[in-house]
Amino acid sequence: MTKSRYNLSGAFAKSKQLRMFFFKNKHLLETYDFTVYDGINNCPWNGGRINRDIHYTDDVIDFYYRNDISIALTFTNPIIDLEDSVGNELLEKFHNKSNYIISRNDELAEYVRREFPLYKHTRSITSFGDISVPMSDSDFDRYVELESRYDVIVPRCEHIFDERFPDLDIKKYELLINDTCIYNCPYYTEHFDAISLQNTLYTKPWEEGGHKCMHSVEECWIPTFNPNEGHAKTAEKFGENYGMDLSIAQIKRLEDMGVCNFKIAGREMTYEDFESSLRKYLS
């Protein structure tokens, strides 16, 4: 029987918390496969959130490898300079057949396949900007095309309970299970592009660009929406088919469909909120 794999955020940003969690819950290492992901070393290829001054350390890497925990680098910036020294140093450092590169830039993905062939490849959720709800033919065809090029695809949360989702190659999909974004956000692509741009413009964005500016870029752009709470009306409309902040019962449904890859976000969460997510889904 295939074990489910969980991809946990904050490989290095939350390394102390993750190591303590695994120490207290050693049985989980037998129950599931684990990957941990992060954007590190102020690399301009990073995306998903604005760079913090977070660096890898060998002792943390060794802990993950000793426990058969793979590492994923979040190279999800659409703007990529393939000659960037930091990005290439990280590719060299983590070049391992168990590790993943998460990307949305096709040129970068092809470069990594050619020069660093041991990596597995994940297509980022941030690459899916304009979508339809329910899933359109073009949405479906785009997923199918990506299946031929990527080991793992993180689909938009709005599609995971779509009636057409089971017709895809389910085992290739990694589902983000604790997102609380607004359904079909009108700023989805624009927001992630703006976040990534700060990592291109600045070596240390929060220092060079200013905390106030970076905060305004990174936080939700819809003033009436609280992403910590989600969207109650949409949740009520879709009921058990609501694809955000999944319940344990919903995850069981997805496992019964054949889904075996799940992702828990939380790099931006407080210690307590991240711990709550880990306990909710992994206890």
Side-chain angles (χ1 to χ4, degrees):
M1 182 178 178
T2 302
K3 291 196 293 186
S4 291
R5 180 180 68 91
Y6 278 82
N7 189 11
L8 310 180
S9 61
F12 298 96
K14 295 186 179 296
S15 62
K16 291 182 180 179
Q17 187 172 2
L18 285 171
R19 284 184 287 177
M20 182 59 68
F21 181 80
F22 284 124
F23 179 78
K24 292 180 177 179
N25 300 276
K26 294 178 181 178
H27 65 284
L28 294 176
L29 294 168
E30 301 297 325
T31 306
Y32 304 110
D33 290 328
F34 286 99
T35 303
V36 289
Y37 71 91
D38 218 338
I40 54 176
N41 288 42
N42 293 303
C43 182
W45 295 354
N46 294 337
R49 74 170 189 165
I50 297 173
N51 278 340
R52 274 72 169 169
D53 199 20
I54 298 163
H55 295 258
Y56 71 78
T57 60
D58 287 329
D59 68 310
V60 173
I61 294 172
D62 290 344
F63 171 84
Y64 292 139
Y65 289 170
R66 285 198 312 272
N67 289 283
D68 294 322
I69 299 170
S70 56
I71 298 171
L73 301 176
T74 56
F75 290 161
T76 58
N77 195 327
I79 304 170
I80 298 291
D81 173 9
L82 294 178
E83 297 183 358
D84 179 74
S85 60
V86 178
N88 279 281
E89 186 271 332
L90 292 174
L91 286 175
E92 290 277 3
K93 179 68 178 179
F94 292 91
H95 193 208
N96 181 309
K97 65 181 181 179
S98 297
N99 291 342
Y100 294 77
I101 298 299
I102 309 172
S103 66
R104 60 180 281 201
N105 180 290
D106 289 334
E107 188 179 3
L108 174 63
E110 289 305 315
Y111 172 71
V112 175
R113 289 187 185 99
R114 183 175 67 251
E115 302 296 332
F116 301 90
L118 297 182
Y119 282 111
K120 298 174 186 177
H121 289 264
T122 298
R123 182 71 169 193
S124 172
I125 192 173
T126 64
S127 67
F128 301 105
D130 296 327
I131 63 167
S132 298
V133 181
M135 190 187 300
S136 66
D137 288 343
S138 61
D139 292 328
F140 185 86
D141 291 344
R142 178 165 44 172
Y143 286 129
V144 170
E145 190 279 326
L146 290 170
E147 289 173 1
S148 67
R149 296 190 287 123
Y150 287 84
D151 301 289
V152 178
I153 301 161
V154 186
R156 286 286 292 271
C157 300
E158 295 93 330
H159 286 159
I160 65 175
F161 289 114
D162 191 280
E163 64 180 10
R164 302 185 71 178
F165 186 67
D167 296 328
L168 296 168
D169 187 356
I170 288 294
K171 291 190 181 298
K172 277 185 171 279
Y173 289 81
E174 177 183 290
L175 309 188
L176 177 56
I177 60 179
N178 64 330
D179 195 7
T180 54
C181 188
I182 195 165
Y183 248 42
N184 215 355
C185 175
Y187 303 115
Y188 195 86
T189 300
E190 184 183 356
H191 195 181
F192 278 115
D193 285 352
I195 287 171
S196 296
L197 181 60
Q198 311 314 308
N199 296 338
T200 301
L201 294 175
Y202 303 109
T203 301
K204 295 187 176 183
W206 296 87
E207 295 179 18
E208 298 167 25
H211 188 278
K212 183 177 181 180
C213 178
M214 295 304 107
H215 182 79
S216 68
V217 170
E218 195 171 65
E219 291 302 300
C220 180
W221 289 3
I222 301 175
T224 58
F225 178 69
N226 184 349
N228 293 320
E229 298 177 359
H231 196 254
K233 289 185 178 179
T234 308
E236 182 179 352
K237 175 183 176 181
F238 286 91
E240 285 303 305
N241 290 328
Y242 182 57
M244 303 280 185
D245 197 21
L246 303 188
S247 67
I248 300 303
Q250 287 176 306
I251 291 175
K252 181 62 168 61
R253 279 176 59 197
L254 292 164
E255 288 177 327
D256 290 344
M257 287 166 49
V259 176
C260 55
N261 295 292
F262 300 95
K263 177 178 181 179
I264 298 178
R267 288 187 289 170
E268 73 291 346
M269 287 183 181
T270 64
Y271 183 101
E272 292 76 15
D273 287 346
F274 187 53
E275 188 76 12
S276 177
S277 287
L278 293 177
R279 292 186 179 281
K280 173 181 177 180
Y281 293 113
L282 296 173
S283 293

